[in-house]
Short mmCIF file of all heavy atoms in Angstrom, two decimals:
data_model
loop_
_atom_site.label_atom_id
_atom_site.label_comp_id
_atom_site.label_asym_id
_atom_site.label_seq_id
_atom_site.Cartn_x
_atom_site.Cartn_y
_atom_site.Cartn_z
N SER A 192 -15.94 -13.59 84.51
CA SER A 192 -17.21 -14.12 84.97
C SER A 192 -18.33 -13.09 84.98
O SER A 192 -19.51 -13.46 85.00
CB SER A 192 -17.07 -14.71 86.37
OG SER A 192 -16.79 -13.68 87.31
N GLN A 193 -18.00 -11.80 84.96
CA GLN A 193 -19.00 -10.75 85.03
C GLN A 193 -18.67 -9.62 84.05
O GLN A 193 -17.54 -9.49 83.57
CB GLN A 193 -19.08 -10.17 86.44
CG GLN A 193 -19.66 -11.12 87.48
CD GLN A 193 -19.74 -10.44 88.83
OE1 GLN A 193 -18.74 -9.99 89.39
NE2 GLN A 193 -20.95 -10.36 89.37
N ILE A 194 -19.68 -8.80 83.78
CA ILE A 194 -19.52 -7.59 82.98
C ILE A 194 -20.22 -6.44 83.69
O ILE A 194 -21.14 -6.65 84.48
CB ILE A 194 -20.09 -7.76 81.56
CG1 ILE A 194 -21.58 -8.13 81.60
CG2 ILE A 194 -19.30 -8.78 80.77
CD1 ILE A 194 -22.26 -8.16 80.23
N VAL A 195 -19.75 -5.22 83.42
CA VAL A 195 -20.42 -4.02 83.89
C VAL A 195 -20.71 -3.16 82.67
O VAL A 195 -19.93 -3.16 81.71
CB VAL A 195 -19.56 -3.26 84.93
CG1 VAL A 195 -18.25 -2.77 84.33
CG2 VAL A 195 -20.34 -2.11 85.57
N PHE A 196 -21.83 -2.44 82.69
CA PHE A 196 -22.21 -1.63 81.54
C PHE A 196 -23.22 -0.58 81.96
O PHE A 196 -23.73 -0.60 83.09
CB PHE A 196 -22.78 -2.50 80.41
CG PHE A 196 -23.98 -3.34 80.81
CD1 PHE A 196 -25.27 -2.89 80.58
CD2 PHE A 196 -23.80 -4.58 81.40
CE1 PHE A 196 -26.37 -3.66 80.94
CE2 PHE A 196 -24.90 -5.37 81.76
CZ PHE A 196 -26.18 -4.91 81.53
N SER A 197 -23.50 0.35 81.04
CA SER A 197 -24.50 1.38 81.27
C SER A 197 -25.76 1.04 80.49
O SER A 197 -25.68 0.63 79.33
CB SER A 197 -23.95 2.74 80.83
OG SER A 197 -24.86 3.78 81.17
N ARG A 198 -26.91 1.21 81.13
CA ARG A 198 -28.20 0.93 80.47
C ARG A 198 -29.16 2.08 80.72
O ARG A 198 -29.22 2.62 81.81
CB ARG A 198 -28.81 -0.37 81.00
CG ARG A 198 -30.25 -0.61 80.55
CD ARG A 198 -30.81 -1.92 81.10
NE ARG A 198 -30.23 -3.07 80.40
CZ ARG A 198 -30.52 -4.34 80.72
NH1 ARG A 198 -31.34 -4.61 81.72
NH2 ARG A 198 -29.96 -5.33 80.03
N GLY A 199 -29.93 2.41 79.69
CA GLY A 199 -30.96 3.41 79.90
C GLY A 199 -31.57 3.93 78.62
O GLY A 199 -31.00 3.80 77.54
N PRO A 200 -32.73 4.54 78.72
CA PRO A 200 -33.33 5.25 77.59
C PRO A 200 -32.90 6.71 77.59
O PRO A 200 -32.88 7.35 78.65
CB PRO A 200 -34.83 5.12 77.86
CG PRO A 200 -34.93 5.10 79.35
CD PRO A 200 -33.65 4.46 79.86
N GLY A 201 -32.52 7.25 76.45
CA GLY A 201 -32.15 8.65 76.38
C GLY A 201 -30.99 8.98 77.29
O GLY A 201 -29.96 8.34 77.26
N THR A 202 -31.15 9.97 78.17
CA THR A 202 -30.10 10.36 79.10
C THR A 202 -30.26 9.77 80.48
O THR A 202 -29.51 10.10 81.40
CB THR A 202 -30.05 11.89 79.21
OG1 THR A 202 -31.34 12.37 79.63
CG2 THR A 202 -29.68 12.53 77.88
N SER A 203 -31.24 8.88 80.67
CA SER A 203 -31.49 8.29 81.99
C SER A 203 -30.69 7.01 82.16
O SER A 203 -31.23 5.90 82.20
CB SER A 203 -32.99 8.01 82.17
OG SER A 203 -33.74 9.18 82.04
N TRP A 204 -29.36 7.16 82.25
CA TRP A 204 -28.47 6.01 82.30
C TRP A 204 -28.22 5.56 83.73
O TRP A 204 -28.06 6.37 84.64
CB TRP A 204 -27.14 6.35 81.65
CG TRP A 204 -27.27 6.81 80.23
CD1 TRP A 204 -27.24 8.10 79.78
CD2 TRP A 204 -27.45 6.00 79.08
NE1 TRP A 204 -27.39 8.13 78.41
CE2 TRP A 204 -27.52 6.85 77.96
CE3 TRP A 204 -27.54 4.62 78.87
CZ2 TRP A 204 -27.69 6.39 76.66
CZ3 TRP A 204 -27.71 4.15 77.58
CH2 TRP A 204 -27.78 5.03 76.49
N SER A 205 -28.12 4.23 83.92
CA SER A 205 -27.72 3.65 85.20
C SER A 205 -26.67 2.57 84.93
O SER A 205 -26.55 2.05 83.82
CB SER A 205 -28.92 3.02 85.92
OG SER A 205 -29.88 4.01 86.25
N ILE A 206 -25.90 2.21 85.97
CA ILE A 206 -24.88 1.20 85.86
C ILE A 206 -25.46 -0.16 86.26
O ILE A 206 -26.15 -0.27 87.28
CB ILE A 206 -23.67 1.52 86.75
CG1 ILE A 206 -23.15 2.93 86.45
CG2 ILE A 206 -22.56 0.48 86.55
CD1 ILE A 206 -22.71 3.16 85.03
N TYR A 207 -25.16 -1.19 85.46
CA TYR A 207 -25.60 -2.55 85.72
C TYR A 207 -24.40 -3.49 85.76
O TYR A 207 -23.41 -3.28 85.06
CB TYR A 207 -26.55 -3.03 84.62
CG TYR A 207 -27.96 -2.49 84.71
CD1 TYR A 207 -28.24 -1.17 84.39
CD2 TYR A 207 -29.02 -3.30 85.10
CE1 TYR A 207 -29.52 -0.66 84.47
CE2 TYR A 207 -30.32 -2.81 85.18
CZ TYR A 207 -30.56 -1.49 84.86
OH TYR A 207 -31.84 -0.99 84.93
N VAL A 208 -24.53 -4.55 86.56
CA VAL A 208 -23.57 -5.65 86.57
C VAL A 208 -24.34 -6.92 86.21
O VAL A 208 -25.47 -7.13 86.66
CB VAL A 208 -22.89 -5.79 87.94
CG1 VAL A 208 -22.06 -7.07 88.02
CG2 VAL A 208 -22.01 -4.58 88.23
N ALA A 209 -23.73 -7.77 85.36
CA ALA A 209 -24.38 -9.01 84.94
C ALA A 209 -23.35 -10.12 84.86
O ALA A 209 -22.13 -9.87 84.91
CB ALA A 209 -25.06 -8.83 83.58
N ASN A 210 -23.82 -11.35 84.75
CA ASN A 210 -22.94 -12.46 84.45
C ASN A 210 -22.37 -12.29 83.05
O ASN A 210 -22.91 -11.56 82.23
CB ASN A 210 -23.69 -13.79 84.56
CG ASN A 210 -24.20 -14.05 85.96
OD1 ASN A 210 -23.51 -13.76 86.95
ND2 ASN A 210 -25.40 -14.59 86.07
N ALA A 211 -21.29 -12.99 82.75
CA ALA A 211 -20.62 -12.84 81.46
C ALA A 211 -21.51 -13.22 80.28
O ALA A 211 -21.30 -12.74 79.16
CB ALA A 211 -19.34 -13.65 81.43
N ASP A 212 -22.51 -14.06 80.51
CA ASP A 212 -23.43 -14.43 79.44
C ASP A 212 -24.61 -13.48 79.32
O ASP A 212 -25.53 -13.71 78.54
CB ASP A 212 -23.93 -15.87 79.62
CG ASP A 212 -24.73 -16.06 80.91
OD1 ASP A 212 -24.96 -15.07 81.67
OD2 ASP A 212 -25.14 -17.21 81.18
N GLY A 213 -24.59 -12.39 80.10
CA GLY A 213 -25.65 -11.38 80.05
C GLY A 213 -26.80 -11.61 81.00
O GLY A 213 -27.65 -10.74 81.16
N SER A 214 -26.83 -12.76 81.65
CA SER A 214 -27.92 -13.07 82.57
C SER A 214 -27.71 -12.38 83.92
O SER A 214 -26.60 -11.96 84.25
CB SER A 214 -28.01 -14.58 82.79
OG SER A 214 -26.85 -15.07 83.45
N GLY A 215 -28.79 -12.28 84.68
CA GLY A 215 -28.71 -11.76 86.04
C GLY A 215 -28.33 -10.30 86.14
O GLY A 215 -27.70 -9.88 87.12
N ALA A 216 -28.72 -9.48 85.16
CA ALA A 216 -28.37 -8.06 85.19
C ALA A 216 -28.99 -7.37 86.41
O ALA A 216 -30.18 -7.48 86.65
CB ALA A 216 -28.84 -7.37 83.91
N THR A 217 -28.14 -6.66 87.16
CA THR A 217 -28.57 -6.00 88.39
C THR A 217 -28.15 -4.54 88.36
O THR A 217 -26.99 -4.22 88.10
CB THR A 217 -27.93 -6.67 89.62
OG1 THR A 217 -28.30 -8.05 89.66
CG2 THR A 217 -28.39 -5.99 90.91
N LYS A 218 -29.10 -3.63 88.61
CA LYS A 218 -28.79 -2.20 88.65
C LYS A 218 -28.01 -1.89 89.92
O LYS A 218 -28.43 -2.25 91.02
CB LYS A 218 -30.06 -1.38 88.60
CG LYS A 218 -29.82 0.13 88.56
CD LYS A 218 -31.11 0.92 88.71
CE LYS A 218 -32.00 0.78 87.49
NZ LYS A 218 -33.16 1.72 87.55
N VAL A 219 -26.86 -1.22 89.78
CA VAL A 219 -26.05 -0.88 90.94
C VAL A 219 -25.88 0.62 91.12
O VAL A 219 -25.18 1.06 92.02
CB VAL A 219 -24.67 -1.58 90.88
CG1 VAL A 219 -24.82 -3.09 91.01
CG2 VAL A 219 -23.92 -1.22 89.61
N SER A 220 -26.49 1.43 90.26
CA SER A 220 -26.56 2.87 90.48
C SER A 220 -27.93 3.36 90.02
O SER A 220 -28.53 2.76 89.12
CB SER A 220 -25.46 3.62 89.73
OG SER A 220 -25.81 3.86 88.38
N THR A 221 -28.41 4.41 90.62
CA THR A 221 -29.77 4.87 90.33
C THR A 221 -29.84 6.34 89.99
O THR A 221 -30.92 6.91 89.92
CB THR A 221 -30.70 4.60 91.53
OG1 THR A 221 -30.16 5.25 92.68
CG2 THR A 221 -30.81 3.11 91.81
N SER A 222 -28.70 6.98 89.77
CA SER A 222 -28.70 8.41 89.52
C SER A 222 -28.86 8.71 88.04
O SER A 222 -28.73 7.83 87.17
CB SER A 222 -27.40 9.03 90.05
OG SER A 222 -27.43 10.42 89.89
N TRP A 223 -29.10 9.96 87.72
CA TRP A 223 -29.26 10.43 86.34
C TRP A 223 -27.93 10.44 85.61
O TRP A 223 -26.94 10.94 86.11
CB TRP A 223 -29.86 11.82 86.36
CG TRP A 223 -30.07 12.43 85.02
CD1 TRP A 223 -31.19 12.33 84.25
CD2 TRP A 223 -29.17 13.25 84.28
NE1 TRP A 223 -31.05 13.03 83.08
CE2 TRP A 223 -29.80 13.61 83.07
CE3 TRP A 223 -27.88 13.72 84.52
CZ2 TRP A 223 -29.20 14.41 82.12
CZ3 TRP A 223 -27.27 14.51 83.56
CH2 TRP A 223 -27.93 14.86 82.38
N GLY A 224 -27.88 9.84 84.44
CA GLY A 224 -26.72 9.99 83.57
C GLY A 224 -25.45 9.29 84.03
O GLY A 224 -24.36 9.84 83.91
N ASP A 225 -25.53 8.06 84.55
CA ASP A 225 -24.34 7.31 84.94
C ASP A 225 -23.87 6.46 83.77
O ASP A 225 -24.60 5.56 83.30
CB ASP A 225 -24.64 6.42 86.15
CG ASP A 225 -24.93 7.22 87.41
OD1 ASP A 225 -24.61 8.42 87.42
OD2 ASP A 225 -25.48 6.64 88.36
N THR A 226 -22.65 6.70 83.29
CA THR A 226 -22.12 6.01 82.12
C THR A 226 -20.64 5.68 82.30
O THR A 226 -20.04 6.02 83.32
CB THR A 226 -22.27 6.87 80.85
OG1 THR A 226 -21.55 8.10 81.03
CG2 THR A 226 -23.73 7.19 80.54
N MET A 227 -20.05 5.04 81.31
CA MET A 227 -18.62 4.74 81.24
C MET A 227 -18.08 3.97 82.44
O MET A 227 -17.05 4.32 83.01
CB MET A 227 -17.81 6.03 81.08
CG MET A 227 -18.26 6.93 79.95
SD MET A 227 -17.23 8.42 79.87
CE MET A 227 -18.25 9.46 78.81
N PRO A 228 -18.73 2.89 82.87
CA PRO A 228 -18.25 2.17 84.06
C PRO A 228 -16.99 1.36 83.77
O PRO A 228 -16.85 0.77 82.69
CB PRO A 228 -19.42 1.25 84.40
CG PRO A 228 -20.06 0.97 83.07
CD PRO A 228 -19.93 2.27 82.29
N ARG A 229 -16.07 1.33 84.73
CA ARG A 229 -14.88 0.50 84.67
C ARG A 229 -14.55 -0.01 86.07
O ARG A 229 -14.61 0.73 87.04
CB ARG A 229 -13.68 1.28 84.11
CG ARG A 229 -13.83 1.67 82.64
CD ARG A 229 -13.85 0.45 81.73
NE ARG A 229 -13.96 0.78 80.33
CZ ARG A 229 -15.10 0.82 79.65
NH1 ARG A 229 -16.24 0.59 80.27
NH2 ARG A 229 -15.10 1.10 78.36
N TRP A 230 -14.18 -1.30 86.14
CA TRP A 230 -13.81 -1.89 87.42
C TRP A 230 -12.48 -1.34 87.92
O TRP A 230 -11.58 -1.07 87.13
CB TRP A 230 -13.68 -3.41 87.27
CG TRP A 230 -14.92 -4.13 86.89
CD1 TRP A 230 -15.39 -4.32 85.61
CD2 TRP A 230 -15.84 -4.78 87.76
NE1 TRP A 230 -16.56 -5.05 85.66
CE2 TRP A 230 -16.85 -5.35 86.95
CE3 TRP A 230 -15.89 -4.95 89.14
CZ2 TRP A 230 -17.90 -6.07 87.49
CZ3 TRP A 230 -16.95 -5.67 89.68
CH2 TRP A 230 -17.95 -6.22 88.86
N SER A 231 -12.35 -1.25 89.23
CA SER A 231 -11.04 -0.94 89.81
C SER A 231 -10.17 -2.19 89.76
O SER A 231 -10.68 -3.32 89.73
CB SER A 231 -11.20 -0.47 91.26
OG SER A 231 -11.67 -1.52 92.09
#
Side-chain angles (χ1 to χ4, degrees):
S192 67
Q193 290 182 301
I194 58 174
V195 63
F196 57 95
S197 185
R198 170 180 286 177
T202 57
S203 301
W204 303 100
S205 297
I206 307 301
Y207 283 73
V208 171
N210 298 320
D212 62 2
S214 65
T217 302
K218 183 188 291 189
V219 294
S220 83
T221 58
S222 184
W223 180 89
D225 293 344
T226 60
M227 308 180 196
R229 293 294 181 265
W230 297 85
S231 66

